[in-house]
Amino acid sequence: MLAADPAATIASIAAEAGVDRRTVYRRFSSREELLAAIYESRLTAIEHAIEDARLREAPVAVALHRYVENIIAVNRTWPVDLARMLADESVRARRDASVREVDAFLDRATDEGLLRRGLPAGWVSALLPQLMHLVSRQLPELSPGRAADVVVDTLLNGVGPSSTSKADLRSVVTRDQ
């Protein structure tokens, strides 16, 4: 509910869960406390997803697919945006640590030739979460594994025909100018 309507009330959340709002208030003293618990759960799930992917030691292609599959599952289980909680220093520190871990992995993937060199700084680390978010929302019928296949293939191969070369692209750009 909070992913669809960030302003959802405790009463509406309780009604959707089939419980009385007093039941929710027994566990969470305020809406903010409920939100904090949700964000805590999402952060923990992200940290476990990164750990399970073995970004530092698994072969890069395997680690990339496992990471993407895990994060898609997190996105579907906890479809809330952490940006709302980044004012909290501990939330920001945990999120930043996860980002650093993934960025170090993406550097490793580039060093090992899985990702192309010469892209603008931070491009892949900005693109990958967007692809995972998009597949999580737009292709809910796909299992996390199959959705990860789509994301990884798109990240590594793009969406153009596989036979398109740089020379072909230059001729199209030159022709269209």
Side-chain angles (χ1 to χ4, degrees), residues 127 131 134 150-164:
L127 180 60
L131 289 172
L134 187 62
V150 172
V151 168
V152 171
D153 183 59
T154 302
L155 181 71
L156 298 179
N157 301 309
V159 295
S162 59
S163 62
T164 302

Side-chain angles (χ1 to χ4, degrees), residues 20-150:
D20 186 78
R21 71 182 168 86
R22 291 174 296 194
T23 302
V24 176
Y25 278 115
R26 267 188 290 245
R27 176 81 166 97
F28 305 102
S29 63
S30 66
R31 185 175 186 285
E32 291 71 30
E33 191 176 308
L34 171 62
L35 288 172
I38 290 168
Y39 294 122
E40 167 71 24
S41 294
R42 179 171 169 82
L43 273 172
T44 299
I46 289 169
E47 291 163 348
H48 288 300
I50 290 170
E51 183 180 319
D52 180 64
R54 299 179 46 232
L55 299 179
R56 294 177 188 212
E57 60 273 355
V60 292
V62 172
L64 175 63
H65 194 278
R66 186 177 296 157
Y67 167 72
V68 170
E69 183 175 351
N70 291 346
I71 294 298
I72 289 167
V74 170
N75 287 347
R76 289 177 174 170
T77 303
W78 303 102
V80 292
D81 181 13
L82 283 176
R84 295 181 54 146
M85 291 297 288
L86 292 181
D88 181 305
E89 186 61 38
S90 66
V91 170
R92 186 175 334 109
R94 286 177 67 192
R95 195 276 324 250
D96 289 350
S98 293
V99 168
R100 282 191 302 276
E101 186 77 19
V102 173
D103 284 347
F105 167 73
L106 294 173
D107 289 343
R108 177 179 163 226
T110 301
D111 292 344
E112 293 188 22
L114 185 69
L115 299 173
R116 183 176 43 168
R117 291 188 182 282
L119 294 171
W123 179 247
V124 177
S125 63
L127 180 60
L128 184 56
Q130 295 300 317
L131 289 172
M132 293 185 295
H133 176 80
L134 187 62
V135 79
S136 296
R137 302 298 189 273
Q138 297 295 319
L139 301 173
E141 71 279 4
L142 295 182
S143 69
R146 181 66 188 109
D149 293 344
V150 172

